[in-house]
Amino acid sequence: MKKNLIILFSILFYSIGTNAKTPVAADRWLEIDLYWFEHKDMQKSANEFWQRYEPLMQGIDGWKGVIINVGWITDYLYEWQGDINQEIKLPKNMKTWGSIKDQGQLAGTTPERMDLWKDRFEKADKPQSINYEKWTYADLKKLVTILKKTAQNKYNLKDIKVGTFITGGQSSYDGDKSSFSLRHANSYRNGKPNMVAKLAAESHKYGAFPEGIPEGTPLTEFFGKQWGSLSKALNLDVIILRDGFLGTGLYSRRKGPYGETAPKDPKLVAEWSKATADLVKQTKISNPKALVIGYSNAASAVGGWRANCFDLEAIAKEGYLDGWIDQSWAGSWNEVGQRPAMNYVPEVRFWSSPLLVYSYMLGYMLSHSAMLADTKVHHYFLTETFDAWETWDIIHNARERLRWGVWAYSHAALKTPNGFKMPNGSYISWGNRGKMLLPEEDVKFLAQTTNEAFADAAATKEVFGPTLVYNRSAMEWQSNNKPDENIKEWIDEQAGTLMKWSAPIMSVTRLEYLPNVQSDLFIFQTPSHLNSSEKENIINVLKSGKPSMVIGSPVGGLDKDIAAILGVSSSDTIINSTKYIGTINYKTEGIYASIPNTFPIFQPFTQNKFSNGLESIYSVSFSPALGLNQKEGKNLIYWDAPEFFNNLPGGTDSYKGSLDQIMGSPVSYVLTARLMNETMKKSGFAYVDEIKQEQPVQLSMWKLNDGSFRIMAGNLEEGINHTANHTVQTTLNLPFITNKAVEVSELWNRANTIIGNKKLEINLTQAQTKLFKIEKP
């Protein structure tokens, strides 16, 4: 009965489900570890695998398939000698994290939750050793063949692809160190692939180099040719270039190949980017039939170029990159108390990493989609379930937040002159925990949720709220001239924070598209070093009277004519210090309600001056940082944005405090979100009655081709409210409703309500998310 109700509900509201007869216009990949498969009975494993996961692939009309982890490290590829009967060199004595019995959300105040967390891991199981069975390359080829044939013959799943991923670490989960790294130490830099390395001569036989490695062979060429030889021999269809290959700064934008920032010398940046491009090219041309898919480093997309020193857009336009996966493992970093203390102090690991959570991943996706706009690259997002090696289990402990992620990321909209460009598909990880697959009900949940989200995204006609405007010109100039200098270009991080306080940012565009796209409020990234048409486009918007916002340092991040329109200038020529105290100068009314007069902030500092109608909202050390200009019909916000503790030179990436500690204080972001909200209210767009600092609520709004509206809300945050009350509330005003009374359907909880005053009351319990539907008014 329950199953029938679910199917009926799906058909009623979305007209799509998991039925194989309903095509889903998307790509889909599922990741699983080799250790799950039984070496002695591969057919039995394949039968069990497809019996469980067939619903995920049924009806998918794009690329689809299985990605197998073969021991994490590169030796699987590097040590291939061309002999199909060769044993695969798999690391030994790898260790999983100790599993925990009592999972789920923790209740109470922050100190009470931390006590529960400590108790939870005191009762955790001991870490388990993982030793792979003995696999030859012939065995792996056999498994690949069996998986493809079983999918087609038993489930009519045609064109299933099977591939592997490669990570760049010298070792993983305490396992053996890469043998290749011991012989070629220069192939690694700070424990990650050294893209610019030239290998020393070696007589050791390799699949693509049977006579050995010639002196001076580029590492990128060696990698690519080894993959070509290996993939052809094993009939592999896909390679995922995972951790460390496209961005060495894993889970941080401050861990690039040359340290915490890009090097001062632009030639080093160009050299590293060229080598990264060559890695992709060599991998593709060595086996043109196999797909080459990149995998983000989880942190800022802007940081990929500015700190990790590679130009993704230029690489993508060369035509050798087939796909790109945006990942941050948002839930695994967001959900408190899911990770053990390990070698960290307990207070640190409780919080995980707040700069990688749900809203930030959306910001990173938006920036990457702008970079990939004019390319053939298929853009994906990662959907996390449970982990094959670690303790977190998002599909069971934060199911509603996981569902929010699927919907939010599938609707990350790139606005182009030809309409929206949405993500092409998803990468689901993991498919196993130990020898256990996801339960059948979880697979159905994933299939239905993802299929419905992509169908809805394909039918989206309009996206409401602010739109980020990516400025490649500024990024390129900075990389080519002053790569080590900060101009506050981190628009994806800035947007990811503003989203937390009901700034409904769900779209992005590029400067060159500006005359042919619309938005409730454009947010311009560091409008500097513009060509003439880009500059003209921005100035036209700023002078139009439409709501607009500019983010950037007045030193290097603003064109002088645009700065004059805004009314901002600075006596400094470079950011040369950090200040730590902000103030609202004793204001108490309107957007300043319940805001402390002074607050801690991490502000890379310049001495600014506001003039020509630019009103100061808050200042730092007598320097105005946030302003509103409404003079002569303008409707402009300017923000000299702060940084996060983890991203400052005086900070440390090993520090994992709560989000409000990393920010210094949420005040600067709350004030900016409130200012945006008031600006949109004045212009007749959707807005909320009140933005409460201690109750962050994520909002997204869009319209479908049939005239109906969608409103998504999420209680996503940890590390802002430290009390025992984890509920949040807000009131959303909907000016697009024209009827006096309208029915609102809450789809995920199947609840209906009638509103008659254009106000939607949103109430969310701990970790709850909701999707509302309003029929065409």
Side-chain angles (χ1 to χ4, degrees):
M1 182 64 179
K2 181 179 179 182
K3 180 179 178 182
N4 291 335
L5 285 174
I6 292 174
I7 293 175
L8 178 61
F9 174 69
S10 175
I11 294 173
L12 178 62
F13 287 111
Y14 302 104
S15 300
I16 187 167
T18 60
N19 194 306
K21 296 180 181 179
T22 306
V24 181
D27 298 353
R28 189 161 301 162
W29 306 99
L30 176 64
E31 182 179 82
I32 192 167
D33 203 288
L34 179 65
Y35 78 69
W36 179 83
F37 293 95
E38 296 293 338
H39 175 265
K40 295 181 180 178
D41 200 340
M42 298 181 205
Q43 186 61 61
K44 178 183 176 183
S45 290
N47 291 341
E48 184 179 351
F49 175 87
W50 283 119
Q51 184 180 9
R52 183 59 48 84
Y53 288 121
E54 173 266 342
L56 272 180
M57 302 297 174
Q58 201 62 259
I60 303 300
D61 67 0
W63 295 336
K64 54 185 177 290
V66 184
I67 306 299
I68 302 173
N69 174 33
V70 186
W72 288 101
I73 61 176
T74 51
D75 277 4
Y76 149 67
L77 175 69
Y78 284 168
E79 297 293 337
W80 160 248
Q81 295 180 317
D83 179 3
I84 197 72
N85 295 312
Q86 175 190 346
E87 181 179 347
I88 301 174
K89 188 172 181 57
L90 293 164
K92 295 180 174 60
N93 299 316
M94 301 174 77
K95 292 182 176 61
T96 66
W97 294 6
S99 61
I100 52 180
K101 303 291 192 301
D102 59 324
Q103 301 191 10
Q105 298 292 325
L106 301 175
T109 65
T110 291
E112 289 169 343
R113 296 167 91 193
M114 294 182 80
D115 285 341
L116 291 172
W117 166 68
K118 292 173 186 176
D119 181 67
R120 167 184 284 175
F121 279 99
E122 284 176 0
K123 300 174 182 177
D125 294 335
K126 293 182 179 180
Q128 300 297 306
S129 293
I130 296 292
N131 282 299
Y132 289 90
E133 297 181 81
K134 181 180 177 180
W135 287 78
T136 65
Y137 288 97
D139 295 331
L140 186 55
K141 180 178 182 179
K142 179 180 177 182
L143 176 62
V144 169
T145 302
I146 289 173
L147 283 170
K148 292 178 181 179
K149 287 186 176 179
T150 304
Q152 178 163 331
N153 297 339
K154 196 168 184 178
Y155 296 100
N156 198 32
L157 291 173
K158 299 178 181 179
D159 300 321
I160 286 289
K161 301 181 185 297
V162 178
T164 62
F165 71 68
I166 296 289
T167 65
Q170 288 178 276
S171 65
S172 189
Y173 293 99
D174 299 323
D176 298 335
K177 184 173 284 190
S178 160
S179 297
F180 187 85
S181 73
L182 298 177
R183 295 198 305 275
H184 294 274
N186 75 320
S187 65
Y188 288 80
R189 176 181 295 193
N190 299 323
K192 300 297 184 294
N194 181 8
M195 289 296 125
V196 298
K198 301 292 191 294
L199 300 178
E202 185 187 7
S203 60
H204 185 79
K205 179 182 178 181
Y206 294 96
F209 297 86
E211 304 301 322
I213 301 175
E215 179 70 30
T217 299
L219 176 67
T220 54
E221 179 185 343
F222 175 78
F223 181 100
K225 289 183 175 178
Q226 279 290 99
W227 164 250
S229 173
L230 175 66
S231 57
K232 290 175 182 176
L234 272 59
N235 295 327
L236 292 167
D237 307 302
V238 191
I239 186 171
I240 310 288
L241 299 174
R242 263 194 62 166
D243 308 359
F245 281 102
L246 296 172
T248 64
L250 303 182
Y251 304 107
S252 170
R253 65 163 158 97
R254 295 191 64 82
K255 294 180 181 177
Y258 296 98
E260 292 191 341
T261 65
K264 189 173 184 178
D265 186 353
K267 292 181 181 178
L268 293 177
V269 177
E271 180 186 38
W272 190 274
S273 188
K274 182 179 179 181
T276 304
D278 190 59
L279 174 79
V280 174
K281 177 181 178 180
Q282 294 290 342
T283 305
K284 184 63 178 180
I285 64 176
S286 294
N287 184 358
K289 293 182 179 180
L291 300 177
V292 178
I293 299 176
Y295 187 93
S296 79
N297 74 327
S300 165
V302 174
W305 198 352
R306 296 289 291 113
N308 277 285
C309 302
F310 72 96
D311 181 353
L312 176 63
E313 181 175 336
I315 291 171
K317 285 185 175 179
E318 288 186 356
Y320 302 108
L321 186 67
D322 297 296
W324 179 262
I325 300 166
D326 257 300
Q327 58 94 18
S328 77
W329 300 95
S332 118
W333 296 115
N334 184 82
E335 303 310 317
V336 298
Q338 291 286 311
R339 291 172 176 264
M342 298 175 69
N343 59 321
Y344 297 91
V345 296
E347 291 77 14
V348 167
R349 295 306 296 174
F350 174 81
W351 290 114
S352 292
S353 187
L355 293 187
L356 302 172
V357 301
Y358 299 104
S359 63
Y360 292 119
M361 182 168 165
L362 180 54
Y364 304 155
M365 279 201 69
L366 289 170
S367 288
H368 275 136
S369 66
M371 296 174 185
L372 298 171
D374 297 318
T375 74
K376 70 177 183 63
V377 174
H378 291 214
H379 192 190
Y380 307 130
F381 59 88
L382 184 141
T383 297
E384 53 198 315
T385 56
F386 55 15
D387 197 83
W389 293 82
E390 301 181 14
T391 51
W392 54 262
D393 184 348
I394 305 308
I395 196 168
H396 299 123
N397 303 327
R399 198 180 192 89
E400 293 199 29
R401 286 173 171 170
L402 173 66
R403 178 170 55 192
W404 177 91
V406 172
W407 275 78
Y409 306 145
S410 62
H411 286 72
L414 171 69
K415 292 184 175 181
T416 80
N418 299 315
F420 292 125
K421 186 176 180 181
M422 300 286 195
N424 302 89
S426 61
Y427 183 86
I428 298 170
S429 182
W430 289 77
N432 73 294
R433 162 166 275 182
K435 288 294 186 177
M436 180 176 69
L437 300 178
L438 284 169
E440 183 178 353
E441 63 180 32
D442 293 337
V443 176
K444 290 181 178 179
F445 167 80
L446 281 174
Q448 180 171 316
T449 298
T450 310
N451 291 352
E452 290 169 353
F454 273 97
D456 191 278
T460 297
K461 179 180 181 180
E462 186 175 356
V463 172
F464 302 111
T467 300
L468 307 180
V469 183
Y470 175 68
N471 180 4
R472 177 178 170 84
S473 293
M475 299 273 287
E476 187 170 29
W477 188 94
Q478 211 66 32
S479 180
N480 292 338
N481 294 275
K482 297 181 178 181
D484 60 326
E485 292 188 9
N486 171 22
I487 57 172
K488 304 199 175 181
E489 64 271 37
W490 314 103
I491 192 170
D492 41 17
E493 284 183 355
Q494 295 152 356
T497 311
L498 294 171
M499 290 177 200
K500 300 176 187 299
W501 283 278
S502 301
I505 302 169
M506 197 179 165
S507 61
V508 69
T509 193
R510 294 172 60 99
L511 272 179
E512 55 267 40
Y513 299 163
L514 206 55
N516 300 304
V517 296
Q518 298 294 321
S519 176
D520 296 351
L521 186 155
F522 285 114
I523 303 177
F524 294 103
Q525 175 199 33
T526 54
S528 58
H529 307 293
L530 308 163
N531 64 42
S532 58
S533 62
E534 290 171 341
K535 183 172 178 176
E536 181 182 1
N537 291 342
I538 294 178
I539 289 176
N540 287 341
V541 172
L542 297 181
K543 289 184 174 181
S544 69
K546 296 178 181 179
S548 299
M549 181 173 176
V550 173
I551 306 177
S553 171
V555 174
L558 293 179
D559 176 270
K560 63 181 180 62
D561 294 327
I562 290 174
I565 293 171
L566 293 167
V568 61
S569 60
S570 177
S571 57
D572 290 323
T573 58
I574 192 172
I575 296 172
N576 53 23
S577 65
T578 302
K579 302 294 184 181
Y580 300 100
I581 301 294
T583 181
I584 58 174
N585 296 310
Y586 303 101
K587 300 171 187 175
T588 58
E589 302 296 325
I591 65 170
Y592 303 100
S594 302
I595 293 293
N597 182 55
T598 60
F599 51 91
I601 191 171
F602 302 119
Q603 181 78 11
F605 187 75
T606 55
Q607 185 63 57
N608 303 335
K609 179 182 178 181
F610 283 5
S611 61
N612 195 28
L614 186 59
E615 173 194 357
S616 176
I617 306 300
Y618 75 80
S619 59
V620 180
S621 293
F622 304 103
S623 176
L626 175 66
L628 174 65
N629 194 332
Q630 295 181 313
K631 184 179 179 181
E632 298 175 348
K634 297 175 185 174
N635 206 355
L636 307 178
I637 298 171
Y638 168 70
W639 193 24
D640 182 7
E643 265 284 14
F644 300 109
F645 175 81
N646 282 17
N647 290 330
L648 290 171
T652 167
D653 290 313
S654 65
Y655 178 84
K656 302 289 191 300
S658 60
L659 185 58
D660 55 4
Q661 290 176 297
I662 291 172
M663 290 178 181
S665 166
V667 166
S668 60
Y669 298 95
V670 172
L671 279 172
T672 305
R674 287 180 176 181
L675 192 59
M676 295 168 67
N677 186 63
E678 289 298 312
T679 302
M680 289 192 290
K681 175 183 177 180
K682 178 183 176 182
S683 299
F685 300 121
Y687 66 96
V688 296
D689 278 354
E690 182 181 7
I691 294 175
K692 302 172 185 177
Q693 178 170 314
E694 302 302 321
Q695 292 192 29
V697 180
Q698 188 281 335
L699 291 174
S700 301
M701 294 170 283
W702 63 97
K703 182 180 180 180
L704 300 191
N705 291 326
D706 64 6
S708 65
F709 297 87
R710 299 286 188 272
I711 299 161
M712 187 166 64
N715 182 353
L716 305 178
E717 301 309 320
E718 300 288 351
I720 295 295
N721 178 6
H722 298 284
T723 74
N725 182 4
H726 301 290
T727 62
V728 296
Q729 301 86 30
T730 194
T731 301
L732 178 62
N733 295 268
L734 303 169
F736 49 73
I737 294 179
T738 56
N739 299 341
K740 291 183 178 180
V742 64
E743 182 178 33
V744 179
S745 303
E746 203 288 277
L747 301 182
W748 292 338
N749 295 295
R750 288 176 282 178
N752 295 340
T753 187
I754 303 294
I755 62 174
N757 56 0
K758 298 186 179 183
K759 288 180 178 290
L760 177 62
E761 301 289 339
I762 299 174
N763 299 284
L764 302 172
T765 59
Q766 184 179 12
Q768 187 178 29
T769 64
K770 291 183 178 179
L771 179 66
F772 300 94
K773 175 184 177 181
I774 302 175
E775 294 288 359
K776 181 178 180 180

Coordinates of all heavy atoms in Angstrom, one line a residue, residues 467-469 471 474 487-496 498 505 521-528 542 548-554 556-559 562 566 625-626 637-642 669 672 676:
T467 N 21.6 36.9 -9.2 CA 22.4 36.1 -10.1 C 23.8 36.6 -10.0 O 24.1 37.8 -10.1 CB 21.9 36.4 -11.6 OG1 20.5 36.0 -11.7 CG2 22.7 35.6 -12.6
L468 N 24.7 35.6 -9.8 CA 26.1 35.9 -9.8 C 26.6 36.2 -11.2 O 26.1 35.6 -12.2 CB 26.9 34.7 -9.3 CG 26.5 34.1 -7.9 CD1 27.4 32.9 -7.5 CD2 26.5 35.2 -6.8
V469 N 27.6 37.1 -11.3 CA 28.1 37.5 -12.6 C 29.6 37.2 -12.6 O 30.4 37.9 -11.9 CB 27.8 39.0 -13.0 CG1 28.4 39.2 -14.4 CG2 26.3 39.3 -12.9
N471 N 33.4 37.1 -13.8 CA 34.2 38.0 -14.5 C 35.5 37.3 -14.9 O 36.5 37.4 -14.1 CB 34.5 39.3 -13.7 CG 35.4 40.3 -14.5 OD1 35.7 40.1 -15.6 ND2 35.7 41.4 -13.8
A474 N 38.9 39.7 -15.1 CA 39.6 40.0 -13.9 C 40.5 38.8 -13.5 O 41.6 39.0 -13.1 CB 38.6 40.4 -12.8
I487 N 42.1 40.3 -4.5 CA 41.2 41.4 -4.8 C 39.8 41.1 -4.4 O 38.8 41.7 -4.8 CB 41.2 41.7 -6.3 CG1 40.8 40.5 -7.2 CG2 42.6 42.2 -6.8 CD1 40.6 40.8 -8.7
K488 N 39.6 40.1 -3.5 CA 38.3 39.7 -2.9 C 37.4 39.1 -4.0 O 36.2 39.4 -4.1 CB 37.7 40.8 -2.1 CG 38.6 41.3 -1.0 CD 37.9 42.1 0.0 CE 38.9 42.5 1.1 NZ 38.3 43.2 2.2
E489 N 38.0 38.3 -4.8 CA 37.3 37.7 -6.0 C 36.5 36.5 -5.7 O 35.9 35.8 -6.5 CB 38.3 37.4 -7.1 CG 39.4 36.3 -6.7 CD 40.6 36.9 -6.0 OE1 40.5 37.8 -5.2 OE2 41.7 36.3 -6.3
W490 N 36.4 36.1 -4.4 CA 35.9 34.7 -4.0 C 34.4 34.8 -4.0 O 33.7 34.5 -3.0 CB 36.5 34.3 -2.6 CG 37.9 34.6 -2.6 CD1 38.6 35.6 -1.9 CD2 38.9 33.8 -3.2 NE1 39.9 35.5 -2.1 CE2 40.2 34.4 -2.9 CE3 38.9 32.6 -4.0 CZ2 41.4 33.9 -3.3 CZ3 40.1 32.1 -4.4 CH2 41.3 32.7 -4.1
I491 N 33.8 35.0 -5.1 CA 32.3 35.2 -5.2 C 31.5 34.0 -4.8 O 30.4 34.1 -4.3 CB 31.9 35.7 -6.6 CG1 30.5 36.3 -6.6 CG2 32.1 34.7 -7.7 CD1 30.1 37.0 -7.8
D492 N 32.1 32.8 -5.1 CA 31.3 31.6 -4.8 C 31.3 31.4 -3.2 O 30.2 31.0 -2.7 CB 31.9 30.3 -5.5 CG 33.4 30.3 -5.5 OD1 34.1 31.0 -4.7 OD2 34.0 29.5 -6.3
E493 N 32.3 31.7 -2.5 CA 32.3 31.6 -1.1 C 31.4 32.7 -0.5 O 30.6 32.4 0.5 CB 33.7 31.7 -0.5 CG 34.6 30.5 -0.6 CD 35.9 30.7 0.1 OE1 36.2 31.8 0.6 OE2 36.7 29.7 0.1
Q494 N 31.5 33.9 -1.0 CA 30.7 35.0 -0.5 C 29.2 34.7 -0.8 O 28.4 34.9 0.2 CB 31.1 36.3 -1.3 CG 32.5 36.7 -0.9 CD 33.2 37.5 -2.1 OE1 32.6 37.7 -3.1 NE2 34.4 38.0 -1.8
A495 N 28.9 34.1 -1.9 CA 27.5 33.8 -2.2 C 27.0 32.6 -1.3 O 25.9 32.6 -0.8 CB 27.3 33.4 -3.7
G496 N 27.9 31.6 -1.1 CA 27.5 30.5 -0.3 C 27.2 30.9 1.1 O 26.4 30.2 1.8
L498 N 26.0 34.1 2.0 CA 24.8 34.9 1.9 C 23.5 34.0 1.8 O 22.5 34.3 2.3 CB 24.9 35.9 0.8 CG 25.9 37.0 0.9 CD1 26.0 37.8 -0.4 CD2 25.6 37.9 2.1
I505 N 20.0 32.8 -3.9 CA 21.0 32.8 -5.1 C 21.0 31.4 -5.7 O 21.3 30.4 -5.0 CB 22.4 33.2 -4.6 CG1 22.4 34.6 -4.0 CG2 23.3 33.1 -5.8 CD1 23.7 35.0 -3.3
L521 N 18.5 40.7 -9.3 CA 19.6 41.5 -8.7 C 20.9 40.8 -9.2 O 21.2 39.7 -8.9 CB 19.6 41.5 -7.2 CG 20.5 42.4 -6.4 CD1 20.0 42.8 -5.1 CD2 21.9 41.7 -6.2
F522 N 21.7 41.6 -10.0 CA 23.0 41.0 -10.4 C 24.0 41.3 -9.4 O 24.1 42.4 -8.8 CB 23.4 41.7 -11.7 CG 22.7 41.3 -13.0 CD1 21.8 42.1 -13.7 CD2 22.8 40.0 -13.4 CE1 21.2 41.7 -14.8 CE2 22.1 39.5 -14.5 CZ 21.3 40.4 -15.2
I523 N 24.9 40.3 -9.1 CA 26.0 40.4 -8.2 C 27.3 40.3 -9.0 O 27.6 39.2 -9.5 CB 25.9 39.3 -7.1 CG1 24.6 39.4 -6.3 CG2 27.1 39.5 -6.1 CD1 24.5 38.3 -5.3
F524 N 28.0 41.4 -9.1 CA 29.2 41.5 -10.0 C 30.4 41.1 -9.2 O 30.7 41.7 -8.1 CB 29.3 42.9 -10.6 CG 28.2 43.3 -11.5 CD1 27.2 44.1 -11.1 CD2 28.2 42.7 -12.8 CE1 26.2 44.4 -12.0 CE2 27.2 43.0 -13.7 CZ 26.1 43.9 -13.3
Q525 N 31.2 40.2 -9.8 CA 32.5 39.8 -9.2 C 33.6 40.7 -9.7 O 33.8 40.9 -10.9 CB 32.8 38.4 -9.6 CG 34.1 37.9 -9.1 CD 34.6 36.7 -9.9 OE1 34.3 36.5 -11.1 NE2 35.4 35.8 -9.3
T526 N 34.2 41.4 -8.7 CA 35.4 42.2 -9.0 C 35.5 42.8 -10.4 O 36.2 42.4 -11.2 CB 36.7 41.4 -8.7 OG1 36.7 40.2 -9.5 CG2 36.8 41.1 -7.3
P527 N 34.6 43.8 -10.7 CA 34.6 44.4 -12.1 C 35.8 45.2 -12.3 O 35.8 46.4 -12.3 CB 33.3 45.2 -12.0 CG 33.1 45.6 -10.6 CD 33.6 44.4 -9.8
S528 N 36.9 44.5 -12.7 CA 38.1 45.2 -13.0 C 38.7 44.6 -14.3 O 38.4 43.5 -14.6 CB 39.1 45.1 -11.8 OG 39.4 43.8 -11.5
L542 N 24.3 49.3 -13.8 CA 24.4 50.1 -12.6 C 23.6 51.4 -12.7 O 23.1 51.9 -11.7 CB 25.9 50.4 -12.3 CG 26.8 49.2 -12.0 CD1 28.2 49.7 -11.8 CD2 26.3 48.4 -10.9
S548 N 21.4 46.1 -8.0 CA 22.7 45.5 -8.4 C 23.6 45.6 -7.2 O 23.4 46.4 -6.3 CB 23.3 46.3 -9.5 OG 22.5 46.3 -10.7
M549 N 24.6 44.7 -7.2 CA 25.5 44.6 -6.1 C 26.9 44.3 -6.7 O 27.1 43.6 -7.7 CB 25.1 43.4 -5.2 CG 26.0 43.2 -4.0 SD 25.3 41.9 -2.9 CE 26.6 41.8 -1.7
V550 N 27.9 45.0 -6.2 CA 29.3 44.8 -6.6 C 30.1 44.4 -5.4 O 30.0 45.0 -4.3 CB 29.8 46.2 -7.2 CG1 31.3 46.0 -7.5 CG2 29.1 46.6 -8.4
I551 N 30.9 43.3 -5.6 CA 31.8 42.8 -4.6 C 33.2 42.9 -5.1 O 33.5 42.4 -6.2 CB 31.5 41.4 -4.2 CG1 30.0 41.2 -3.8 CG2 32.4 40.9 -3.0 CD1 29.6 39.8 -3.4
G552 N 34.1 43.5 -4.3 CA 35.5 43.6 -4.7 C 36.3 44.6 -3.9 O 35.7 45.5 -3.4
S553 N 37.6 44.3 -3.8 CA 38.4 45.3 -3.1 C 38.5 46.6 -3.9 O 38.7 46.5 -5.1 CB 39.8 44.7 -2.8 OG 40.7 45.7 -2.3
P554 N 38.5 47.7 -3.2 CA 38.7 49.0 -4.0 C 40.1 49.1 -4.5 O 40.4 49.9 -5.4 CB 38.4 50.1 -3.0 CG 38.6 49.4 -1.7 CD 38.2 48.0 -1.8
G556 N 42.5 47.1 -6.7 CA 42.7 46.1 -7.7 C 41.4 45.4 -8.2 O 41.4 44.7 -9.2
G557 N 40.3 45.5 -7.4 CA 39.1 44.8 -7.7 C 38.0 45.6 -8.3 O 36.9 45.1 -8.6
L558 N 38.2 46.9 -8.5 CA 37.2 47.8 -9.1 C 37.8 48.6 -10.2 O 38.8 49.3 -10.0 CB 36.6 48.7 -8.0 CG 35.8 48.1 -6.9 CD1 35.4 49.2 -5.9 CD2 34.6 47.4 -7.4
D559 N 37.1 48.7 -11.3 CA 37.4 49.6 -12.4 C 37.1 51.0 -11.8 O 36.2 51.3 -11.1 CB 36.5 49.4 -13.6 CG 36.7 50.4 -14.7 OD1 36.0 51.4 -14.6 OD2 37.5 50.2 -15.6
I562 N 33.7 52.5 -12.6 CA 32.7 51.8 -11.8 C 32.7 52.2 -10.3 O 31.7 52.4 -9.7 CB 32.8 50.3 -12.0 CG1 32.4 49.9 -13.5 CG2 31.9 49.5 -11.0 CD1 32.7 48.5 -13.8
L566 N 29.7 53.9 -8.0 CA 29.3 53.4 -6.7 C 29.5 54.4 -5.6 O 28.8 54.6 -4.7 CB 30.2 52.1 -6.4 CG 29.9 50.9 -7.2 CD1 31.0 49.9 -7.0 CD2 28.6 50.3 -6.9
A625 N 32.8 49.5 4.8 CA 33.0 48.2 4.1 C 31.8 47.8 3.3 O 31.9 47.1 2.3 CB 33.4 47.1 5.1
L626 N 30.6 48.1 3.8 CA 29.3 47.8 3.1 C 28.5 49.1 2.9 O 28.4 49.9 3.9 CB 28.5 46.8 4.0 CG 27.1 46.4 3.5 CD1 27.2 45.7 2.1 CD2 26.3 45.6 4.5
I637 N 24.3 48.2 -4.2 CA 25.0 47.8 -3.0 C 26.5 47.6 -3.3 O 26.8 47.0 -4.4 CB 24.4 46.4 -2.5 CG1 22.9 46.6 -2.1 CG2 25.2 45.9 -1.3 CD1 22.2 45.3 -1.8
Y638 N 27.4 48.1 -2.5 CA 28.8 47.8 -2.6 C 29.3 47.1 -1.4 O 29.0 47.5 -0.2 CB 29.6 49.0 -2.8 CG 31.1 48.8 -2.7 CD1 31.8 48.0 -3.7 CD2 31.8 49.2 -1.6 CE1 33.1 47.7 -3.5 CE2 33.2 48.9 -1.5 CZ 33.8 48.2 -2.4 OH 35.1 47.9 -2.3
W639 N 30.1 46.1 -1.5 CA 30.6 45.3 -0.4 C 32.1 45.0 -0.6 O 32.5 44.3 -1.5 CB 29.8 44.0 -0.3 CG 30.0 43.2 1.0 CD1 30.4 43.7 2.2 CD2 29.8 41.8 1.2 NE1 30.4 42.7 3.1 CE2 30.1 41.5 2.5 CE3 29.4 40.8 0.3 CZ2 30.0 40.2 3.0 CZ3 29.3 39.5 0.8 CH2 29.6 39.2 2.2
D640 N 32.9 45.5 0.4 CA 34.3 45.1 0.5 C 34.3 44.0 1.5 O 34.4 44.2 2.7 CB 35.1 46.4 1.0 CG 36.6 46.1 1.2 OD1 37.0 45.0 0.7 OD2 37.3 46.9 1.8
A641 N 34.2 42.8 1.0 CA 33.8 41.6 1.8 C 35.0 41.2 2.7 O 36.1 41.4 2.4 CB 33.4 40.5 0.9
P642 N 34.6 40.6 3.9 CA 35.6 40.0 4.8 C 36.1 38.7 4.3 O 35.6 38.2 3.3 CB 34.8 39.9 6.1 CG 33.4 39.6 5.7 CD 33.2 40.4 4.4
Y669 N 27.6 39.2 7.2 CA 26.8 38.5 6.2 C 25.3 38.7 6.4 O 24.6 38.9 5.5 CB 27.2 37.0 6.3 CG 28.6 36.8 5.9 CD1 29.6 36.7 7.0 CD2 29.1 36.7 4.6 CE1 30.9 36.5 6.7 CE2 30.4 36.5 4.3 CZ 31.3 36.4 5.4 OH 32.7 36.2 5.1
T672 N 24.5 42.2 5.1 CA 24.5 42.2 3.7 C 23.3 41.5 3.1 O 22.6 42.0 2.2 CB 25.8 41.5 3.1 OG1 26.9 42.2 3.7 CG2 25.9 41.7 1.6
M676 N 20.3 43.2 0.9 CA 19.8 42.7 -0.4 C 18.3 42.5 -0.3 O 17.6 42.7 -1.3 CB 20.5 41.4 -0.7 CG 22.0 41.5 -0.9 SD 22.9 39.9 -0.9 CE 22.2 39.1 -2.4

